[in-house]
Amino acid sequence: VFVYSASLCLFACHVALAEPTSVAMPLGAPVSRSNMALPSERLLARASVRLEPRFEEHTGLFASHLNASASLGNVELREAVKTPAGVDRKDWIAGMTIPIFNELVFLVNVLEDECTKETCPAMSAGRHFFYVWPDPETGSNRQLPAHVYMCELVEWAHDILKGDMPENFEETMKTLHKRFFRVYAHAYIHHFEAICAHGSEAHLNYTFKHWLFFVRAHGLVPDEDLAPLRELIAKFEERQDQSEAELAKSHAAGTAAKPAGATA
């Protein structure tokens, strides 16, 4: 039994906030392992992915997520996830992964009622991408219902994040974030309309962009693993480029208009 408890109403109420401070820790806030949501104590195996060799464009209901536009907004989000000067890169990645993990936990809880064994008998991202979980005893891959897969992933990630920094830190973080993406891909492609109906689109978009710009900044997930949401990602990145350009233009105009000797 999955031990987290969060309702769609609880998740949706945060959308009205300027920033999702009640759900996810503010960017740049101190993070520690004590900030993590706590899953149950089941032992978990490593997850692996099986991708169909061909990828076709999403159509019909599978394409509804491409209309995603609502956002809580943060023009400087891309800058906020970069490693600050004087901070160790590994420490920053590990620390910032914790609030990202917490955001994912809430999303998994939100999907609990919508993502059932009947509606989602396999962990997938559209018609062409399927993800499996290997049995550690037999070494064979198991196809799990999507929400069961997510719960396994959350507990596996928690076990990693609550422990000491692994020797293969870079590869571990890459694997961790690659698997986090699968939850977002499934949510967008299979449950986007339900999320919108509950007023949670803006929060979903914000947390996904937080994750996206973070992994982009640190080279944690290659493009091929992002294929299921490639159109949506291009859309978000284009809008972010435009917002940053407008902000830079505004700052430049303000500097040019400042009288000589004026201070900000």
Side-chain angles (χ1 to χ4, degrees), residues 185-229:
H186 183 82
Y188 270 114
I189 296 173
H190 296 272
H191 301 291
F192 183 70
E193 291 188 347
I195 289 171
C196 290
H198 288 283
S200 299
E201 179 193 355
H203 190 90
L204 173 63
N205 291 344
Y206 179 89
T207 57
F208 177 63
K209 286 189 289 185
H210 180 196
W211 174 87
L212 174 64
F213 296 144
F214 176 73
V215 299
R216 288 292 210 202
H218 301 284
L220 296 175
V221 181
D223 285 343
E224 55 265 30
D225 288 316
L226 304 177
L229 295 182

Side-chain angles (χ1 to χ4, degrees), residues 71-163:
S71 178
L72 295 176
N74 190 331
V75 176
E76 298 177 332
L77 181 59
R78 189 180 277 161
E79 286 298 316
V81 297
K82 294 181 180 178
T83 306
V87 176
D88 181 79
R89 179 177 179 274
K90 288 184 178 180
D91 289 341
W92 179 255
I93 290 176
M96 290 301 291
T97 295
I98 292 173
I100 288 174
F101 169 76
N102 285 336
E103 291 166 355
L104 194 83
V105 169
F106 273 91
L107 177 57
V108 170
N109 280 306
V110 166
L111 294 176
E112 186 172 9
D113 292 334
E114 301 290 340
C115 187
T116 66
K117 294 180 180 179
E118 290 71 33
T119 62
C120 306
M123 183 60 173
S124 60
R127 298 186 180 94
H128 309 287
F129 291 80
F130 300 89
Y131 307 100
V132 294
W133 196 270
D135 187 323
E137 296 182 1
T138 65
S140 60
N141 293 327
R142 291 187 295 149
Q143 179 174 292
L144 300 176
H147 200 265
V148 175
Y149 180 102
M150 293 178 201
C151 295
E152 297 280 354
L153 173 56
V154 164
E155 294 188 18
W156 173 77
H158 176 264
D159 285 345
I160 291 174
L161 294 173
K162 74 178 182 181

